[in-house]
Amino acid sequence: MYQKFKGVIAALLTPFRADGSVNVDSIAKLVEHNLAGGVTGFYVGGSTGESMLMTLEERKTVMEAVAEVAKGRATLIGHVGTIHTAHAISLAKVAERCGYDAISAVAPFYYGFSYPAIKGYYDEISASTELPMIIYNFPNSGGFAFTPQYAEEMLKNPKIIGIKHTSADLYTLERFKHLSREIVVYNGFDEMLIAGLTMGADGGIGSTYNVMPKKIVELYNRFQSGDLAGARAKQTEINEIIAVFIKHGVFASEKYMLDRMGIPMGEVRKPFLPLTEEAKADLDKLLPEVVKA
Ligand code: MN9
């Protein structure tokens, strides 16, 4: 079930121009780069896309731009989450109008909302379109952690078809795969993709995929063909790179790498800090390894 949702889904970065505006030309280039690398879908406007630092209009622009180049060639999941329900609904409607395959939302954050409030938020967004909904479980983002019990409750809404699990708690990931109804479960931390797949994930959604799609696809394919040793070796190769990204700032590092590959990505948005010159020098050294399939 849910065949088109399985596999390797890039959490798309958002390219900005020097004046800070969304760089729509680079979105097209970035989509092509990912497709050429073998990714099968895009998760648009999530954490990686710096969506919480963008206006609603900008988020819509990105969603539309991705659909324009990728529709019919990739599975499209539009992240519509924000703590303002009406804003999330307006984004969900854009996703539906643009032909997205699903919407997704992080749980509303900051006020420490109760589980019933959070369930209401999802149900209301999901009722606003015909699209299926994928829960974005990201406990580090400000609080709420879906447990298997909460997830089971959420499944009473038939439009909820999956969970993106951005957490190192892979026991919970495994439990999500064994609720009363089958759902798609995604591994959210790229540095443990093999572990997530081993515990039952149907695929992964990640930011580092933008930079090294071929390596991620190779890990995924090795795992699917039963080559566990090969997949683990690939994970280690990938993690040598991710460790440097984490040290210097993940999104800033990824954007810099893509800049160096000829896709202008611009800076990360404040309050994220730009890369230091030392960080750039470190990343320059890594470039030959990153571009190698
Ligand atoms: O969507 C991303 N999650 C966040 C997934 O950025 C919160 C991951 O791809 C991480 O960026 C990556 C590095 O920690 O695993």
Side-chain angles (χ1 to χ4, degrees):
M1 228 189 350
Y2 306 131
Q3 202 48 44
K4 70 175 170 185
F5 289 107
K6 296 184 176 173
V8 174
I9 302 201
L12 210 69
L13 290 155
T14 302
F16 295 118
R17 296 188 197 276
D19 66 4
S21 62
V22 172
N23 187 340
V24 173
D25 299 330
S26 279
I27 289 180
K29 292 193 181 116
L30 185 58
V31 165
E32 295 301 343
H33 168 73
N34 274 291
L35 289 175
V39 316
T40 51
F42 296 99
Y43 189 85
V44 180
S47 313
T48 300
E50 298 175 69
S51 64
M52 298 304 161
L53 302 173
M54 288 164 64
T55 65
L56 216 46
E57 276 316 306
E58 288 175 320
R59 290 179 67 173
K60 290 177 185 169
T61 300
V62 171
M63 240 181 224
E64 286 164 356
V66 176
E68 204 154 297
V69 271
K71 196 169 166 261
R73 301 163 71 199
T75 297
L76 297 182
I77 305 171
H79 178 263
V80 305
T82 135
I83 70 167
H84 192 316
T85 307
H87 287 180
I89 288 174
S90 75
L91 289 169
K93 288 188 186 296
V94 174
E96 182 165 53
R97 174 168 54 71
C98 294
Y100 277 64
D101 297 285
I103 50 174
S104 179
V106 74
F109 42 88
Y110 187 75
Y111 290 109
F113 297 107
S114 66
Y115 168 71
I118 287 169
K119 182 168 190 317
Y121 165 88
Y122 279 96
D123 287 341
E124 203 175 330
I125 296 169
S126 129
S128 73
T129 76
E130 296 296 317
L131 295 178
M133 162 70 87
I134 295 170
I135 294 169
Y136 180 11
N137 188 34
F138 183 19
N140 288 351
S141 72
F144 193 75
F146 283 91
T147 61
Q149 291 75 16
Y150 285 139
E152 182 65 56
E153 266 277 314
M154 299 287 293
L155 292 194
K156 288 187 187 145
N157 176 345
K159 281 184 175 155
I160 292 181
I161 61 148
I163 300 186
K164 163 169 148 59
H165 186 60
T166 301
S167 158
D169 175 3
L170 300 178
Y171 169 52
T172 292
L173 181 149
E174 187 271 347
R175 291 289 83 200
F176 287 154
K177 267 315 284 179
H178 298 279
L179 301 174
S180 59
R181 166 158 75 72
E182 195 198 338
I183 56 168
V184 186
V185 176
Y186 293 104
N187 179 79
F189 279 131
D190 313 356
E191 50 277 39
M192 19 188 122
L193 177 56
I194 188 176
L197 292 171
T198 304
M199 292 298 265
D202 299 289
I205 297 178
S207 71
T208 66
Y209 303 10
N210 288 275
V211 178
M212 44 185 168
K214 288 186 178 154
K215 288 186 196 289
I216 300 283
V217 168
E218 179 65 22
L219 187 164
Y220 181 78
N221 289 343
R222 285 183 188 180
F223 179 84
Q224 296 302 333
S225 69
D227 175 13
L228 284 188
R232 193 162 59 236
K234 205 69 194 174
Q235 182 78 72
T236 299
E237 186 185 316
I238 288 167
N239 286 2
E240 298 286 344
I241 295 166
I242 294 184
V244 182
F245 291 178
I246 290 175
K247 178 169 162 205
H248 296 307
V250 173
F251 308 141
S253 297
E254 291 167 351
K255 285 183 150 181
Y256 180 73
M257 287 317 223
L258 285 160
D259 264 327
R260 296 292 317 272
M261 292 178 211
I263 304 176
M265 295 297 294
E267 300 274 343
V268 279
R269 219 165 234 192
K270 283 188 265 190
F272 280 126
L273 294 172
L275 295 173
T276 61
E277 290 310 311
E278 290 106 289
K280 288 184 186 172
D282 249 12
L283 291 165
D284 286 338
K285 280 187 253 148
L286 205 59
L287 189 64
E289 187 46 47
V290 172
V291 295
K292 212 164 65 189

